[in-house]
Amino acid sequence: MTPPPSESVLITVTGKDHPGVVSRLTGLLAEAGAELLDVEQVVVQGRLTLCLLVRLSPASGTLETLLSAAKTLGVTLDFQAVDAPAASPAEAASSRHVVTAVGRALGARELHSLTQVLAGHGANVERITRLSEPHLGSVDLHIRLPPGQPPDALKHALLELSMQSGGFDVALQRESLFRRGKRMVVMDMDSTLIRIEVIDELARAHGVGEQVSRITERAMHGEMDYDESLRQRVALLRGLDASVVHQLAANLPLTEGAETLVRVLKRLGYRTAVISGGFSVAAEALKARLGIDFAYSNELEIQDGKLTGRTVGRIVNAQRKAELLESLARAEGILLDQVVAVGDGANDLLMLERAGLGIAFRAKPRLRAAADTSISAGGLDSILYLLGLTGRELLEVS
């Protein structure tokens, strides 16, 4: 059947992949003066799927010629008349998002649960791309939401899915230039870049662990603000030998994937920073150890080789973290949309909100719900997939 002239034709080619298939078919289309509107091709395990959206003259006989050529090439060719997309470019762009799933392994069960959530929110999956190598551990699903539908409800549903599964993380991002255009990654330190809370370790070494924990608990329940809680906790460290602090800083346990993340970011030209409510001795040690570009944190006052129980200078609290992120991006000539911020606690919330992409890493439920996305199942190197990188690309820079 030859479609009417007012309709476009979707040509689908499937079969064993080999050189010359695309060249032969597009050559015939060119000879017929066909207008190519869209094209997409994927090869999985040597099997080709090629889609060509074209506008043809109904009397040209081109489809018959293509069918004959496909037979010669050993592939199957089907075609159907389709309507041209009705959405404007602006509407189409605003409804396009990328869902990234990252886990140890993704199987049919995981993809089913994910696509079931997407279908329940009216999201149409247009393309699925494998990211990880060699195992199927991460995929991008390029989706389109119904026109005018905000992504918030879908974001929360995907967050709930990842929390229930426990085996993989799911991130939702708008498909835009800035998704792969990030230029800076800013990280919290304690329980994010490293696996411990430095102040807790120092408190235990000084025999005041329980007292410090009680103050931390009160702050978490909103009974005192961060600044006051920090002052009270640091005061309990008075008299601790500074050598204990330096020894701890020299042996900080890195979070899984931290070294890979920073190494790849540096190879790709990203700027990296630690902005922490922790202590400068530890932050500076990490800066030197990993080659991080910038480090901002609280400075413990030391006199005669002992902690005085006070800090020096302005406290790095939630507001200060956000201010430092902004000033650092401004100084480096980087847009906030190009900044990624990673943290685990409530005092990271403002920093994550200012960044183009805020990631809650193994965080409390409140921060996970407020952040752009969260990572709980994987290591810090999972962030690389959220930046749009693939396993093959990571192998090139590892």
Side-chain angles (χ1 to χ4, degrees), residues 118-179:
L118 295 176
H121 286 76
N124 184 54
V125 179
E126 297 187 331
R127 187 168 80 252
I128 301 177
T129 306
R130 174 178 176 165
L131 299 178
S132 57
E133 296 283 349
H135 305 295
L136 185 60
S138 181
V139 294
D140 267 350
L141 293 88
H142 295 253
I143 68 168
R144 188 193 297 272
L145 289 172
Q149 177 175 311
D152 295 352
L154 176 58
K155 172 195 163 186
H156 291 303
L158 292 174
L159 173 61
E160 185 176 346
L161 171 65
S162 64
M163 292 175 68
Q164 291 175 348
S165 74
F168 67 102
D169 296 306
V170 186
L172 176 69
Q173 299 182 68
R174 190 168 68 85
E175 188 173 12
S176 70
L177 169 66
F178 291 116
R179 178 175 176 252

Side-chain angles (χ1 to χ4, degrees), residues 212-274:
V212 166
S213 294
R214 282 196 294 269
I215 296 171
T216 301
E217 189 71 14
R218 289 184 62 196
M220 288 179 60
H221 285 86
E223 297 175 17
M224 66 173 68
D225 66 17
Y226 178 82
D227 291 17
E228 181 59 26
S229 72
L230 181 67
R231 291 190 190 98
Q232 290 191 19
R233 287 179 290 173
V234 171
L236 290 169
L237 300 178
R238 181 179 179 182
L240 177 64
D241 198 294
S243 64
V244 176
V245 185
H246 290 285
Q247 183 177 0
L248 178 64
N251 297 280
L252 294 170
L254 295 174
T255 298
E256 174 194 1
E259 288 183 289
T260 299
L261 172 66
V262 177
R263 181 178 68 251
V264 171
L265 291 174
K266 287 176 63 64
R267 290 287 301 274
L268 295 176
Y270 284 73
R271 303 295 273 171
T272 55
V274 171

Side-chain angles (χ1 to χ4, degrees), residues 15-283:
K16 184 178 180 181
D17 185 42
H18 57 85
V21 175
V22 180
S23 174
R24 175 64 174 149
L25 297 179
T26 54
L28 292 174
L29 290 170
E31 290 175 6
E35 181 183 358
L36 182 62
L37 304 175
D38 199 1
V39 61
E40 190 84 32
Q41 174 179 312
V42 63
V43 177
V44 179
Q45 297 295 312
R47 302 295 296 180
L48 164 74
T49 299
L50 168 66
C51 294
L52 301 151
L53 181 63
V54 299
R55 185 172 289 121
L56 291 169
S57 169
S60 65
T62 304
L63 291 178
E64 290 77 7
T65 304
L66 289 172
L67 287 167
S68 176
K71 185 176 181 179
T72 302
L73 292 166
V75 295
T76 300
L77 185 147
D78 295 308
F79 63 89
Q80 65 180 105
V82 297
D83 294 327
S88 68
E91 290 174 333
S94 65
S95 65
R96 287 197 180 101
H97 291 74
V98 179
V99 175
T100 305
V102 184
R104 303 295 179 189
L106 297 176
R109 186 182 303 276
E110 289 78 15
L111 287 180
H112 168 67
S113 62
L114 174 55
T115 52
Q116 192 173 38
V117 170
L118 295 176
H121 286 76
N124 184 54
V125 179
E126 297 187 331
R127 187 168 80 252
I128 301 177
T129 306
R130 174 178 176 165
L131 299 178
S132 57
E133 296 283 349
H135 305 295
L136 185 60
S138 181
V139 294
D140 267 350
L141 293 88
H142 295 253
I143 68 168
R144 188 193 297 272
L145 289 172
Q149 177 175 311
D152 295 352
L154 176 58
K155 172 195 163 186
H156 291 303
L158 292 174
L159 173 61
E160 185 176 346
L161 171 65
S162 64
M163 292 175 68
Q164 291 175 348
S165 74
F168 67 102
D169 296 306
V170 186
L172 176 69
Q173 299 182 68
R174 190 168 68 85
E175 188 173 12
S176 70
L177 169 66
F178 291 116
R179 178 175 176 252
R180 288 182 61 101
K182 300 291 189 292
R183 303 308 309 148
M184 177 182 291
V185 177
V186 174
M187 297 163 282
D188 178 42
M189 179 174 67
D190 298 71
S191 297
T192 299
L193 196 55
I194 59 176
R195 300 196 306 270
I196 62 171
E197 294 283 335
V198 170
I199 195 168
D200 291 343
E201 300 300 319
L202 296 178
R204 277 191 281 270
H206 199 43
V208 293
E210 290 186 8
Q211 296 96 307
V212 166
S213 294
R214 282 196 294 269
I215 296 171
T216 301
E217 189 71 14
R218 289 184 62 196
M220 288 179 60
H221 285 86
E223 297 175 17
M224 66 173 68
D225 66 17
Y226 178 82
D227 291 17
E228 181 59 26
S229 72
L230 181 67
R231 291 190 190 98
Q232 290 191 19
R233 287 179 290 173
V234 171
L236 290 169
L237 300 178
R238 181 179 179 182
L240 177 64
D241 198 294
S243 64
V244 176
V245 185
H246 290 285
Q247 183 177 0
L248 178 64
N251 297 280
L252 294 170
L254 295 174
T255 298
E256 174 194 1
E259 288 183 289
T260 299
L261 172 66
V262 177
R263 181 178 68 251
V264 171
L265 291 174
K266 287 176 63 64
R267 290 287 301 274
L268 295 176
Y270 284 73
R271 303 295 273 171
T272 55
V274 171
I275 300 181
S276 170
F279 303 127
S280 59
V281 176

Side-chain angles (χ1 to χ4, degrees), residues 339-357:
V339 178
V340 179
V342 189
D344 73 296
N347 66 332
D348 296 312
L349 178 56
L350 294 180
M351 180 173 74
L352 268 59
E353 288 178 341
R354 301 287 173 86
L357 175 62

